[in-house]
Amino acid sequence: MSPYAWLMIVPLVIAAAYLALLFMVQRSILFPMPPEVPAGPPPGTEDVRVAYEGGEAYGIYLAPIDATGTAPLLMFMHGNGELADYWAEEFDTARRWGVGVLLVEYPGYGRATGSPSEKSITESVIALYDWAAKEPRVDATKIVAYGRSLGGGAAVRLAINRPVAAMILESTFTSVADFAARFGAPGALIRDRFDNRTSLSRYRGSLLILHGRQDTIVPFAHGQELATLVPGAQFVELPCGHNDCPREWRRIESFLEWSGVLRH
């Protein structure tokens, strides 16, 4: 074989090896689970475990503060390097409005069984929704999907499979394939696409999008594009990045009132 042939073959072999490696390790990159696992749920909360055909869904339920009867519910889906446990105290503000909170845990994360993937996360989120819709403490007509970062993909999957009263997306991407393109990976290699761009084009409910102008992980333009896909979507620009944004509770409360979820 001539030296010129090797000059052509070696780059192809390197590229093929890179793509094969990327295919194998992409889930460890997309789902970097925190190593620490709390022994039990945060104080004042309760475990929710729901068996479904593909496994067991796990979440943490936080009841409304000083509320009786049925109440609206925020189903919160966290970012990829987090645990549901991290968010228990963060939602005290919403609970004071008389809203319950269900912190969704992803398969394989924390105390949840299974392994994370787009399919398993979608199945788990739907199973938890179905539990909530039958739970006497929850107003099934006022379940809100709230996703942050990767959780935005889970929230969108839920909203196109089950009726939600409203949806909130924070620091959410258009699709995983858009990230892969930045690393030279073709979309065909992506195992967990979370194609929010395509899915949101089918959603016609109330939508609030929050996105940091200085976000270097999920570019600001992703949030802007998602907002254009749903007529009447509310878009809020935040003066922060990806992991340093304070909760915009005032805007969220106003949005939930506008959506008919809250009645003050």
Side-chain angles (χ1 to χ4, degrees), residues 158-175:
L158 174 60
I160 64 174
N161 283 284
R162 292 293 187 273
V164 297
M167 179 162 52
I168 302 170
L169 300 178
E170 179 183 323
S171 307
T172 298
F173 49 84
T174 50
S175 74

Side-chain angles (χ1 to χ4, degrees), residues 55-77:
E56 180 186 67
Y58 173 66
I60 301 172
Y61 177 71
L62 295 77
I65 296 175
D66 298 328
T68 58
T70 60
L73 181 74
L74 284 179
M75 285 187 63
F76 179 74
M77 288 138 274

Side-chain angles (χ1 to χ4, degrees), residues 13 19 38 66 71 90 92 115 131 134 140 147 149 151 161 164 181 218 225 246 258-259 262:
V13 171
L19 293 177
D66 298 328
E90 182 72 23
D92 283 352
S115 300
W131 168 86
K134 298 176 183 176
S149 193
N161 283 284
V164 297
V218 178
E225 180 179 347
W258 176 80
S259 302
L262 287 181

Side-chain angles (χ1 to χ4, degrees), residues 29-249:
I29 296 173
L30 185 59
F31 306 114
M33 294 173 277
E36 69 278 9
V37 178
T45 69
E46 58 186 87
D47 275 348
V48 176
R49 293 189 181 274
V50 182
Y52 63 96
E53 186 176 351
E56 180 186 67
Y58 173 66
I60 301 172
Y61 177 71
L62 295 77
I65 296 175
D66 298 328
T68 58
T70 60
L73 181 74
L74 284 179
M75 285 187 63
F76 179 74
M77 288 138 274
H78 60 72
N80 66 344
E82 303 167 349
L83 295 177
D85 300 72
Y86 297 174
W87 293 90
E89 294 183 3
E90 182 72 23
F91 282 87
D92 283 352
T93 299
R95 296 172 67 200
R96 292 189 188 98
W97 303 335
V99 175
V101 178
L102 182 59
L103 304 174
V104 174
E105 193 55 281
Y106 304 140
Y109 276 64
R111 294 178 300 281
T113 60
S115 300
S117 68
E118 180 176 8
K119 181 177 184 292
S120 68
I121 289 174
T122 299
E123 292 174 341
S124 182
V125 168
I126 290 174
L128 287 169
Y129 174 98
D130 291 344
W131 168 86
K134 298 176 183 176
E135 168 60 39
R137 293 170 291 181
V138 174
D139 184 340
T141 67
K142 296 182 178 180
I143 297 177
V144 178
Y146 184 171
R148 186 187 107 74
S149 193
L150 175 68
V156 172
R157 300 287 88 65
L158 174 60
I160 64 174
N161 283 284
R162 292 293 187 273
V164 297
M167 179 162 52
I168 302 170
L169 300 178
E170 179 183 323
S171 307
T172 298
F173 49 84
T174 50
S175 74
V176 172
D178 290 340
F179 282 104
R182 295 160 60 185
F183 298 96
L189 284 182
I190 305 305
R191 304 169 73 182
D192 306 287
R193 305 184 67 81
F194 287 104
D195 187 355
N196 297 323
R197 179 188 290 110
T198 299
S199 296
L200 271 185
S201 65
R202 298 157 48 192
Y203 177 76
R204 288 299 176 263
S206 301
L207 175 63
L208 171 65
I209 294 182
L210 309 163
H211 212 111
R213 167 61 76 172
Q214 286 82 47
D215 195 331
T216 58
I217 297 177
V218 178
F220 184 70
H222 283 230
Q224 289 180 305
E225 180 179 347
L226 293 179
T228 67
L229 301 175
V230 179
Q234 298 182 26
F235 182 79
V236 178
E237 176 182 333
L238 304 176
C240 53
H242 190 75
N243 294 313
D244 61 344
C245 295
R247 269 321 53 68
E248 284 288 324
W249 287 123

